[in-house]
Amino acid sequence: MSALLKNSAFDPSAIVDAVRSVLPETRPLPLHEPEFIGREWEYVKDCIDTGWVSSVGSYVDRFEALCAEATGTRFGIACVNGTAALHIALVAAGVQRDDEVLVQALTFVASANAVHHAGAVPHFVDSEHETLGLDPDALDAYLGEIAESRDGATYNRRTGRRISAVVPMHVFGHPVRMDRLVEVAERWHLDLVEDAAESLGSTRNGRLMGSCGKLAAVSFNGNKTITTGGGGAVVTDDEALAKRLKHLTTTAKLPHRWAFDHDEVGYNYRLPNLNAALGCAQFEMLPQFLAEKRVLAERYRTALAHLPDAQFFGQPEGCESNYWLNVVMVPDRAAREALLEALNADGIQARPCWTPMHELSFNSDCPQASLTVTEELVDRIVNLPSSPKLGRGI
């Protein structure tokens, strides 16, 4: 028994028993593992048989179209990973060196890293209890305190820097209040770039996440709902932006049958055809995986409903979340650590939320709003195993 548990009235055993009742007996049980039960072998073998294994091929084109369809947008641009996708989306949106970009502190490090990669400065803002994501009302009030509009742009009165964009991230697949955030972004002249890395298939009021901002970035890492092994995409409705993104991600090479001419500094962010082939097969399984993840979430909710020290985090009102990772909320950090220890000791992989961005050493000089909700949520969140096949009882 840990020192934390000895010093707390919290007993994790009832929660562990409830979680066990939902899951198969197989141990160890990963947090979220990929599953290849469709046409993956067929499509990847086709790449190998035909020799189209690199960054050009029919599967890349098909994968980009599927990305657009799955996010309710017109255009998809495949990238080597989700961080690269978010970086290039910020560049294409017009984020300049030394701009500030508003990012929620409760997010994976890629959200902040992409801002750094663009030469800009992350400016950390708070989340809300309802969604775990960026709080539009708190943001609006905060900008009213520290910002001013001049000549169609917004500036931080404290630092003098332009605030050019806002990056909401849909935490664990639960949609941010995007309608309200769009209003705030328009009022403050901010480009809205969605970090939809975790929210493929999630909707708010019937609208797919990834379709609400100027651009959005999606991830297909090995632990996402569907995977290309490592990969990402930018999606947008703007045809001109889509063409620019394709140009930038393919080393800014000018079209020619043999010459290698480039008209600006570009990025080699291309997704290989092999990975795209895997992704095309995975997209065919997406409806099944989403349905299975929602079944699993409902089983967790039911199993945990009677426990006073456990609150299953369900989808926000008006949303259909993909439940990328399921969340149980416990009373405090001591309870969180006790539950993590008990679950992992039983072979059930569980994890806490990420270290908040403002607590990372390389972000120590970045501006920040009051982050009281973020700090409370981080102390209470425990992620539970969430692989789609668990919804089938496998």
Side-chain angles (χ1 to χ4, degrees), residues 324-354:
W324 172 57
L325 289 183
N326 287 286
V327 173
V328 59
M329 308 285 287
V330 294
D332 52 34
R333 183 175 289 249
R336 184 195 75 180
E337 293 303 302
L339 181 58
L340 287 168
E341 181 178 300
L343 286 169
N344 283 282
D346 194 45
I348 299 171
Q349 186 179 14
R351 76 174 196 192
C353 196
W354 316 279

Short mmCIF file of all heavy atoms in Angstrom, two decimals, residues 324-354:
data_model
loop_
_atom_site.label_atom_id
_atom_site.label_comp_id
_atom_site.label_asym_id
_atom_site.label_seq_id
_atom_site.Cartn_x
_atom_site.Cartn_y
_atom_site.Cartn_z
N TRP A 324 -12.20 8.77 -27.40
CA TRP A 324 -10.88 8.24 -27.73
C TRP A 324 -10.23 7.59 -26.50
O TRP A 324 -9.80 6.46 -26.55
CB TRP A 324 -9.96 9.34 -28.28
CG TRP A 324 -8.55 8.87 -28.42
CD1 TRP A 324 -8.14 7.79 -29.16
CD2 TRP A 324 -7.39 9.40 -27.80
NE1 TRP A 324 -6.77 7.62 -29.03
CE2 TRP A 324 -6.29 8.60 -28.20
CE3 TRP A 324 -7.17 10.48 -26.95
CZ2 TRP A 324 -4.99 8.86 -27.77
CZ3 TRP A 324 -5.87 10.74 -26.53
CH2 TRP A 324 -4.80 9.92 -26.94
N LEU A 325 -10.17 8.34 -25.40
CA LEU A 325 -9.78 7.75 -24.12
C LEU A 325 -10.88 8.01 -23.11
O LEU A 325 -11.37 9.14 -22.99
CB LEU A 325 -8.47 8.36 -23.61
CG LEU A 325 -7.19 7.98 -24.35
CD1 LEU A 325 -5.98 8.61 -23.67
CD2 LEU A 325 -7.00 6.47 -24.47
N ASN A 326 -11.26 6.95 -22.40
CA ASN A 326 -12.27 7.10 -21.35
C ASN A 326 -11.64 7.68 -20.08
O ASN A 326 -10.46 7.42 -19.78
CB ASN A 326 -12.89 5.75 -21.05
CG ASN A 326 -13.83 5.31 -22.17
OD1 ASN A 326 -14.93 5.84 -22.30
ND2 ASN A 326 -13.39 4.36 -22.98
N VAL A 327 -12.43 8.46 -19.36
CA VAL A 327 -11.95 9.19 -18.20
C VAL A 327 -12.81 8.90 -16.98
O VAL A 327 -14.04 8.98 -17.06
CB VAL A 327 -11.96 10.71 -18.46
CG1 VAL A 327 -11.63 11.49 -17.19
CG2 VAL A 327 -10.98 11.08 -19.57
N VAL A 328 -12.16 8.58 -15.87
CA VAL A 328 -12.83 8.58 -14.58
C VAL A 328 -12.21 9.69 -13.75
O VAL A 328 -10.99 9.86 -13.72
CB VAL A 328 -12.72 7.21 -13.86
CG1 VAL A 328 -11.27 6.81 -13.62
CG2 VAL A 328 -13.49 7.23 -12.54
N MET A 329 -13.07 10.50 -13.12
CA MET A 329 -12.62 11.60 -12.27
C MET A 329 -12.68 11.14 -10.81
O MET A 329 -13.69 10.59 -10.37
CB MET A 329 -13.53 12.82 -12.46
CG MET A 329 -13.73 13.24 -13.90
SD MET A 329 -12.30 14.08 -14.60
CE MET A 329 -12.39 15.66 -13.76
N VAL A 330 -11.60 11.39 -10.09
CA VAL A 330 -11.52 11.05 -8.67
C VAL A 330 -11.36 12.35 -7.87
O VAL A 330 -11.17 13.42 -8.44
CB VAL A 330 -10.37 10.06 -8.41
CG1 VAL A 330 -10.67 8.71 -9.07
CG2 VAL A 330 -9.03 10.61 -8.89
N PRO A 331 -11.43 12.28 -6.53
CA PRO A 331 -11.51 13.54 -5.76
C PRO A 331 -10.29 14.44 -5.83
O PRO A 331 -10.43 15.66 -5.82
CB PRO A 331 -11.73 13.03 -4.32
CG PRO A 331 -12.36 11.69 -4.47
CD PRO A 331 -11.74 11.10 -5.69
N ASP A 332 -9.08 13.88 -5.86
CA ASP A 332 -7.89 14.74 -5.76
C ASP A 332 -6.66 13.96 -6.23
O ASP A 332 -6.76 12.81 -6.67
CB ASP A 332 -7.70 15.24 -4.32
CG ASP A 332 -7.71 14.11 -3.30
OD1 ASP A 332 -7.24 12.99 -3.62
OD2 ASP A 332 -8.21 14.33 -2.17
N ARG A 333 -5.52 14.62 -6.15
CA ARG A 333 -4.28 14.02 -6.65
C ARG A 333 -3.91 12.75 -5.87
O ARG A 333 -3.43 11.78 -6.47
CB ARG A 333 -3.14 15.03 -6.59
CG ARG A 333 -1.81 14.51 -7.15
CD ARG A 333 -0.75 15.59 -7.17
NE ARG A 333 -1.06 16.59 -8.17
CZ ARG A 333 -0.35 16.78 -9.29
NH1 ARG A 333 0.69 16.01 -9.54
NH2 ARG A 333 -0.66 17.72 -10.15
N ALA A 334 -4.09 12.75 -4.57
CA ALA A 334 -3.77 11.56 -3.78
C ALA A 334 -4.61 10.37 -4.24
O ALA A 334 -4.10 9.25 -4.39
CB ALA A 334 -3.98 11.83 -2.30
N ALA A 335 -5.90 10.62 -4.46
CA ALA A 335 -6.78 9.56 -4.96
C ALA A 335 -6.36 9.11 -6.35
O ALA A 335 -6.37 7.91 -6.67
CB ALA A 335 -8.22 10.04 -4.96
N ARG A 336 -5.98 10.08 -7.18
CA ARG A 336 -5.51 9.74 -8.54
C ARG A 336 -4.32 8.80 -8.49
O ARG A 336 -4.28 7.78 -9.19
CB ARG A 336 -5.14 11.02 -9.28
CG ARG A 336 -4.72 10.82 -10.73
CD ARG A 336 -4.02 12.06 -11.29
NE ARG A 336 -2.65 12.17 -10.77
CZ ARG A 336 -1.81 13.16 -11.10
NH1 ARG A 336 -2.21 14.13 -11.91
NH2 ARG A 336 -0.59 13.19 -10.60
N GLU A 337 -3.33 9.12 -7.67
CA GLU A 337 -2.13 8.30 -7.59
C GLU A 337 -2.44 6.92 -7.03
O GLU A 337 -1.88 5.91 -7.46
CB GLU A 337 -1.06 9.00 -6.76
CG GLU A 337 -0.52 10.27 -7.40
CD GLU A 337 0.05 10.01 -8.78
OE1 GLU A 337 0.98 9.18 -8.90
OE2 GLU A 337 -0.43 10.64 -9.75
N ALA A 338 -3.32 6.86 -6.06
CA ALA A 338 -3.70 5.56 -5.48
C ALA A 338 -4.40 4.69 -6.52
O ALA A 338 -4.13 3.48 -6.62
CB ALA A 338 -4.60 5.77 -4.27
N LEU A 339 -5.29 5.28 -7.31
CA LEU A 339 -6.00 4.51 -8.33
C LEU A 339 -5.05 4.07 -9.44
O LEU A 339 -5.13 2.93 -9.91
CB LEU A 339 -7.15 5.33 -8.90
CG LEU A 339 -7.99 4.63 -9.98
CD1 LEU A 339 -8.59 3.32 -9.45
CD2 LEU A 339 -9.09 5.56 -10.49
N LEU A 340 -4.16 4.96 -9.86
CA LEU A 340 -3.18 4.59 -10.89
C LEU A 340 -2.32 3.42 -10.43
O LEU A 340 -2.06 2.48 -11.19
CB LEU A 340 -2.31 5.79 -11.24
CG LEU A 340 -2.98 6.89 -12.07
CD1 LEU A 340 -2.10 8.14 -12.08
CD2 LEU A 340 -3.24 6.40 -13.49
N GLU A 341 -1.89 3.48 -9.19
CA GLU A 341 -1.06 2.40 -8.66
C GLU A 341 -1.83 1.09 -8.63
O GLU A 341 -1.32 0.03 -9.03
CB GLU A 341 -0.58 2.77 -7.26
CG GLU A 341 0.31 1.70 -6.62
CD GLU A 341 0.80 2.13 -5.25
OE1 GLU A 341 1.48 3.16 -5.14
OE2 GLU A 341 0.49 1.40 -4.28
N ALA A 342 -3.08 1.12 -8.19
CA ALA A 342 -3.87 -0.10 -8.06
C ALA A 342 -4.20 -0.71 -9.43
O ALA A 342 -4.11 -1.92 -9.62
CB ALA A 342 -5.15 0.20 -7.29
N LEU A 343 -4.59 0.12 -10.39
CA LEU A 343 -4.94 -0.39 -11.71
C LEU A 343 -3.72 -0.98 -12.42
O LEU A 343 -3.77 -2.09 -12.96
CB LEU A 343 -5.55 0.72 -12.57
CG LEU A 343 -6.97 1.14 -12.21
CD1 LEU A 343 -7.35 2.42 -12.94
CD2 LEU A 343 -7.97 0.03 -12.56
N ASN A 344 -2.61 -0.25 -12.40
CA ASN A 344 -1.42 -0.74 -13.09
C ASN A 344 -0.85 -1.98 -12.42
O ASN A 344 -0.30 -2.86 -13.09
CB ASN A 344 -0.38 0.38 -13.21
CG ASN A 344 -0.74 1.38 -14.30
OD1 ASN A 344 -0.54 1.12 -15.47
ND2 ASN A 344 -1.27 2.53 -13.90
N ALA A 345 -0.98 -2.07 -11.10
CA ALA A 345 -0.53 -3.27 -10.39
C ALA A 345 -1.35 -4.49 -10.82
O ALA A 345 -0.86 -5.62 -10.77
CB ALA A 345 -0.64 -3.07 -8.88
N ASP A 346 -2.58 -4.26 -11.26
CA ASP A 346 -3.45 -5.34 -11.70
C ASP A 346 -3.28 -5.65 -13.20
O ASP A 346 -4.02 -6.45 -13.76
CB ASP A 346 -4.91 -4.98 -11.43
CG ASP A 346 -5.85 -6.16 -11.55
OD1 ASP A 346 -5.53 -7.24 -11.02
OD2 ASP A 346 -6.90 -6.01 -12.21
N GLY A 347 -2.32 -4.99 -13.84
CA GLY A 347 -2.10 -5.22 -15.27
C GLY A 347 -3.03 -4.44 -16.17
O GLY A 347 -3.09 -4.70 -17.38
N ILE A 348 -3.75 -3.49 -15.60
CA ILE A 348 -4.65 -2.63 -16.38
C ILE A 348 -3.95 -1.29 -16.57
O ILE A 348 -3.80 -0.52 -15.61
CB ILE A 348 -5.99 -2.44 -15.65
CG1 ILE A 348 -6.69 -3.77 -15.45
CG2 ILE A 348 -6.88 -1.47 -16.41
CD1 ILE A 348 -7.92 -3.70 -14.56
N GLN A 349 -3.50 -1.04 -17.79
CA GLN A 349 -2.76 0.20 -18.02
C GLN A 349 -3.70 1.40 -17.87
O GLN A 349 -4.71 1.51 -18.56
CB GLN A 349 -2.10 0.23 -19.39
CG GLN A 349 -1.20 1.45 -19.58
CD GLN A 349 -0.50 1.48 -20.92
OE1 GLN A 349 -0.85 0.75 -21.84
NE2 GLN A 349 0.49 2.33 -21.05
N ALA A 350 -3.36 2.28 -16.97
CA ALA A 350 -4.10 3.53 -16.77
C ALA A 350 -3.06 4.63 -16.65
O ALA A 350 -1.92 4.39 -16.28
CB ALA A 350 -4.95 3.46 -15.51
N ARG A 351 -3.47 5.85 -16.96
CA ARG A 351 -2.50 6.95 -16.92
C ARG A 351 -3.18 8.22 -16.43
O ARG A 351 -4.41 8.37 -16.55
CB ARG A 351 -1.88 7.18 -18.29
CG ARG A 351 -2.79 7.89 -19.26
CD ARG A 351 -2.12 8.24 -20.57
NE ARG A 351 -2.90 9.22 -21.30
CZ ARG A 351 -2.69 9.55 -22.58
NH1 ARG A 351 -1.73 8.97 -23.25
NH2 ARG A 351 -3.44 10.48 -23.16
N PRO A 352 -2.39 9.15 -15.93
CA PRO A 352 -2.94 10.46 -15.60
C PRO A 352 -3.02 11.31 -16.86
O PRO A 352 -2.56 10.90 -17.94
CB PRO A 352 -1.91 11.03 -14.63
CG PRO A 352 -0.62 10.45 -15.12
CD PRO A 352 -0.96 9.06 -15.61
N CYS A 353 -3.58 12.50 -16.71
CA CYS A 353 -3.54 13.47 -17.80
C CYS A 353 -2.10 13.94 -18.00
O CYS A 353 -1.21 13.65 -17.21
CB CYS A 353 -4.45 14.64 -17.46
SG CYS A 353 -4.85 15.67 -18.87
N TRP A 354 -1.87 14.69 -19.07
CA TRP A 354 -0.54 15.22 -19.34
C TRP A 354 -0.14 16.25 -18.29
O TRP A 354 -0.98 16.90 -17.67
CB TRP A 354 -0.53 15.90 -20.71
CG TRP A 354 -1.23 15.14 -21.77
CD1 TRP A 354 -0.74 14.08 -22.49
CD2 TRP A 354 -2.56 15.36 -22.26
NE1 TRP A 354 -1.68 13.63 -23.38
CE2 TRP A 354 -2.81 14.40 -23.26
CE3 TRP A 354 -3.57 16.26 -21.94
CZ2 TRP A 354 -4.01 14.33 -23.95
CZ3 TRP A 354 -4.77 16.19 -22.61
CH2 TRP A 354 -4.99 15.24 -23.60
#
